Amino acid sequence: MTQEERTNIEERIVDVLKTVYDPEIPVNIYDLGLIYKIEVKDDSTVDIDMTFTAPTCPAADFILEDVRQKVDSLDGVKSATVNLVFEPVWDQSMLSEEARLELGLD
């Protein structure tokens, strides 16, 4: 896989992640800063590390499966593995500027 192909897949993954929402927060998970790592491997598999705003998120299973299914469905992706991590601990500094505006924090 060329670097250009990898970059193209990563961009499409980011686009699809921006369609995933926590039902309790009106901002997508990417702009919330919940995605810590996107790794596209040479064999077209993808590893994603993500977290939640709170370890006890009631929608965790739904969100994780939504991410996996949406990334799996992309052309050029053989399979996606979504890893739930809690290090580093999420905080508001991880919000994008768009998320800060949407949430009225700026």
Side-chain angles (χ1 to χ4, degrees):
M1 173 180 302
T2 67
Q3 185 57 45
E4 183 178 340
E5 291 169 326
R6 181 176 278 110
T7 299
N8 180 273
I9 291 171
E10 287 171 359
E11 288 172 354
R12 289 186 290 124
I13 290 170
V14 169
D15 288 344
V16 80
L17 291 174
K18 288 184 175 186
T19 70
V20 179
Y21 287 80
D22 180 321
E24 298 176 344
I25 305 171
V27 176
N28 69 71
I29 63 168
Y30 189 82
D31 286 331
L32 281 173
L34 301 181
I35 303 300
Y36 287 171
K37 178 186 87 171
I38 300 170
E39 181 182 1
V40 179
K41 298 181 180 178
D42 286 335
D43 64 356
S44 298
T45 61
V46 175
D47 280 342
I48 296 174
D49 287 355
M50 69 172 291
T51 195
F52 290 104
T53 57
T56 58
C57 176
D61 290 341
F62 167 78
I63 295 169
L64 289 169
E65 184 60 16
D66 197 24
V67 168
R68 190 193 62 74
Q69 285 182 0
K70 287 182 176 180
V71 174
D72 261 354
S73 72
L74 292 172
D75 286 339
V77 173
K78 184 186 294 182
S79 68
T81 301
V82 182
N83 305 300
L84 181 59
V85 298
F86 292 104
E87 293 292 328
V89 175
W90 181 90
D91 65 50
Q92 289 186 4
S93 71
M94 297 171 176
L95 294 167
S96 72
E97 187 60 35
E98 293 85 1
R100 295 186 69 75
L101 291 171
E102 180 69 31
L103 296 171
L105 299 174
D106 278 344

